[in-house]
């Protein structure tokens, strides 16, 4: 199936952005927090629950999980590994 590297679709980086925004509260960073948060939540709902042809594991949005799986689509897809 190939690899699926979506580096910025991760809760770890979102958490890091939250820490940066907390210490440097600027309008752009707050907007990034809001936009990224909504995007990650809606993306996870769509890709884990609503999309039927290619569902990903709920753990997909953790970068450490994708690194552990070697970014291989066949390991991240719930239809192939039963997660």
């Amino acid at each position: 199936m190939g690899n699926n590297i979506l580096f910025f679709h991760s809760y770890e980086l979102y958490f890091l952005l939250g820490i940066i925004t907390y210490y440097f509260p600027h309008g752009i960073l707050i907007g990034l927090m809001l936009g990224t948060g909504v995007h990650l939540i809606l993306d996870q709902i769509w890709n884990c629950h609503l999309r039927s042809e290619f569902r990903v594991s709920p753990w997909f949005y953790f970068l450490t999980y994708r690194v552990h799986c070697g970014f291989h689509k066949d390991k991240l897809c719930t239809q192939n590994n039963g997660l």
Side-chain angles (χ1 to χ4, degrees):
M1 259 183 148
N3 290 345
N4 192 4
I5 301 174
L6 297 171
F7 188 72
F8 292 109
H9 279 74
S10 68
Y11 288 120
E12 293 95 334
L13 291 179
Y14 184 68
F15 181 72
L16 180 62
L17 178 61
I19 292 171
I20 293 169
T21 303
Y22 179 79
Y23 287 107
F24 304 101
H26 189 274
I28 292 175
L29 291 175
I30 294 168
L32 278 172
M33 280 292 300
L34 292 172
T36 303
V38 169
H39 176 84
L40 281 173
I41 290 168
L42 293 177
D43 208 27
Q44 186 169 14
I45 290 169
W46 173 255
N47 288 324
C48 295
H49 304 290
L50 300 177
R51 191 173 176 195
S52 61
E53 68 275 3
F54 177 73
R55 288 192 181 163
V56 295
S57 166
W59 296 100
F60 178 84
Y61 290 91
F62 289 94
L63 183 61
T64 51
Y65 176 75
R66 292 195 310 264
V67 168
H68 175 73
C69 291
F71 295 100
H72 293 289
K73 284 184 182 180
D74 57 341
K75 293 179 182 176
L76 298 170
C77 179
T78 59
Q79 292 174 340
N80 289 341
N81 63 10
L83 290 177

